[in-house]
Structures are given as structure tokens and as C-alpha cells.
Amino acid sequence: MTDQTPPGPHTEPDAGPDLWTTVDTLWEWLDNSQPIEGREGVLLRILKLTEEVGEVSEAVIGATGQNPRKGVTHTWEDVQAELCDVVITALVALRTLTPEAREVFRGHLERVRERSLASPK
């Protein structure tokens, strides 16, 4: 019999590849295959976020049928996938700016957590 207890707040189920190992691997792959290098390449990698956020917007509009000409063209699962793409793209862009991306993100997340939870409700 398997344990049906859901993971606690500080545990994660085995979800496949390690987040930061994957981010590093994607960063390396992109760095080795980008047609434009240097400062422009870094800026283009950051601008890729705009494209991904636009795809989230398109999926939300499609999931809600807000374009009467097109109707419902997406699902909420599509929205979830596009949001994941935004997160991945942002983490790879952060890794592009610093090899210490994990530590930078951890520190910033902690500051946001402290600031948010310290706010009166």
C-alpha cells in the first residue's frame, strides 16, 4: 500500500528534473546556439519574456472566449503551460545575468516573503 498523505509545506514530490540544474542546462544550450552574442544577445534573452507574457494573454483571451471572431480557442491548462514558460524564461534570463541566479532568486524570494507576510491584512 502506498502512502496517500499529500506532501507537507516544505516537501516536494519527485517532480522530475531539478529546477536549477535544468535552468543551467537550458542557459548553456541557449548560450551555445544564440545567433546574436554580447549585450544584444542578453537584451534579446530578457525581451523573450515579453513574448512569453503575450502568449499568456493570448491563452487567457482564448480560454475565456473574449474574441468573438475566434471564440474559445484555449484551455486553462494552456494558460498554466504558458505561465510555466514565463517562469522558465525568467529564470534563464536571470541565469544569463549572473551565475549566482539561484542565490539571487532565493534572497529576493525571502525579501518578498518577509515584506508580504509582515503587511497588515
Side-chain angles (χ1 to χ4, degrees), residues 46-117:
I46 294 168
L47 286 176
K48 177 73 172 157
L49 275 166
T50 303
E51 178 187 359
E52 296 297 342
V53 170
E55 291 175 9
V56 171
S57 299
E58 180 181 9
V60 169
I61 289 168
T64 58
Q66 289 302 301
N67 184 336
R69 185 173 55 81
K70 294 181 179 179
V72 175
T73 58
H74 290 75
T75 65
W76 288 104
E77 287 78 18
D78 294 327
V79 176
Q80 292 171 14
E82 296 300 344
L83 286 169
C84 289
D85 286 348
V86 169
V87 172
I88 294 164
T89 303
L91 291 176
V92 171
L94 179 61
R95 174 59 184 87
T96 299
L97 292 178
T98 177
E100 307 300 323
R102 180 188 306 223
E103 293 76 17
V104 169
F105 184 75
R106 183 181 297 129
H108 188 77
L109 184 61
E110 179 63 21
R111 287 188 297 279
V112 169
R113 185 187 70 78
E114 287 175 6
R115 179 180 68 222
S116 299
L117 296 179

Side-chain angles (χ1 to χ4, degrees), residues 16-38:
D18 174 71
L19 174 67
W20 289 105
T21 300
T22 302
V23 167
D24 285 340
T25 301
L26 291 171
W27 167 79
E28 186 175 336
W29 170 70
L30 286 169
D31 236 39
N32 290 327
S33 41
Q34 67 181 1
I36 299 174
E37 297 179 1

